[in-house]
């Protein structure tokens, strides 16, 4: 809801949702943020669980916005997002195992995929692109899209 208008945004363009001063914001990959009329609990029920994860009481993130996962004190995790989050994101020690399991279900044995691993995924998926009839490996954005497409729940 934007003023008197209602706008629609594709979920693939959503980086994360967060709470600030009792308002829920949606942040797009471009960094644009919008106040929305849903709670994080409601969003958790309707968003694709293979794409979005509720990290804590303040943040629900898209898999594709996670840039880095660091171990933190007492078995907690510190998450870095792109675009950058307005506050530090800490996953509790109680929830960190569940979060790692979520990542492991999507990428068995990995907590992130490197550029070579994304390229390997594209090769295994048999995907190459053709520019001017010259086969080439997909770029990073294309590889992420291939991976996204393979994770879609129909």
């Amino acid at each position: 809801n934007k003023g008197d208008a209602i706008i629609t945004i594709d979920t693939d363009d959503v980086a994360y949702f967060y709470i600030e001063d009792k308002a829920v914001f949606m942040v797009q990959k471009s960094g644009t943020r919008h106040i929305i009329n849903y709670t994080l609990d409601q969003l958790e029920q309707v968003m694709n669980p293979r794409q979005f994860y509720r990290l804590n009481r303040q943040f629900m993130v898209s898999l594709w916005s996670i840039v880095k996962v660091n171990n933190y004190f007492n078995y907690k995790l510190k998450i870095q997002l792109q675009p950058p989050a307005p506050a530090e994101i800490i996953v509790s020690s109680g929830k960190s195992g569940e979060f790692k399991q979520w990542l492991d279900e999507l990428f068995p044995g990995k907590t992130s995929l490197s550029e070579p691993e994304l390229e390997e995924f594209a090769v295994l998926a048999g995907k190459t692109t053709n520019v001017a009839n010259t086969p080439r490996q997909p770029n990073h954005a294309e590889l992420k899209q291939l991976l996204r497409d393979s994770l879609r729940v129909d």
Side-chain angles (χ1 to χ4, degrees):
N1 200 350
K2 191 162 181 94
D4 291 334
I6 294 175
I7 60 170
T8 60
I9 297 172
D10 190 313
T11 56
D12 284 342
D13 193 37
V14 176
Y16 54 90
F17 302 94
Y18 72 97
I19 295 175
E20 182 179 282
D21 297 327
K22 298 184 181 180
V24 177
F25 291 88
M26 176 192 64
V27 177
Q28 292 178 259
K29 291 177 183 176
S30 65
T32 305
R33 70 182 205 158
H34 308 274
I35 293 178
I36 60 172
N37 295 324
Y38 294 93
T39 66
L40 289 185
D41 289 338
Q42 291 169 324
L43 290 167
E44 195 172 10
Q45 297 301 310
V46 299
M47 300 305 285
N48 181 346
R50 292 180 62 87
Q51 183 178 357
F52 289 90
Y53 188 83
R54 178 85 177 261
L55 293 173
N56 56 33
R57 287 181 288 163
Q58 292 82 29
F59 284 89
M60 182 174 177
V61 302
S62 165
L63 169 66
W64 310 109
S65 69
I66 300 170
V67 175
K68 197 171 194 179
V69 178
N70 290 315
N71 289 318
Y72 202 61
F73 301 104
N74 297 322
Y75 304 101
K76 296 176 187 174
L77 298 173
K78 186 174 181 179
I79 310 296
Q80 183 180 348
L81 303 177
Q82 185 58 39
E88 188 173 69
I89 303 173
I90 304 297
V91 178
S92 71
S93 56
K95 190 134 182 166
S96 64
E98 181 184 305
F99 174 67
K100 287 178 180 179
Q101 182 179 350
W102 177 74
L103 287 175
D104 193 50
E105 286 171 6
L106 298 175
F107 308 108
K110 303 286 181 194
T111 56
S112 66
L113 290 180
S114 66
E115 190 83 24
E117 289 167 325
L118 282 168
E119 289 175 14
E120 180 181 336
F121 170 81
V123 170
L124 291 174
K127 304 286 184 172
T128 58
T129 58
N130 200 336
V131 175
N133 295 321
T134 305
R136 66 171 177 81
Q137 283 298 103
N139 65 34
H140 192 259
E142 292 167 332
L143 289 168
K144 279 191 158 184
Q145 185 61 49
L146 288 170
L147 196 52
R148 253 189 227 110
D149 291 344
S150 75
L151 297 174
R152 284 222 165 95
V153 177
D154 295 317

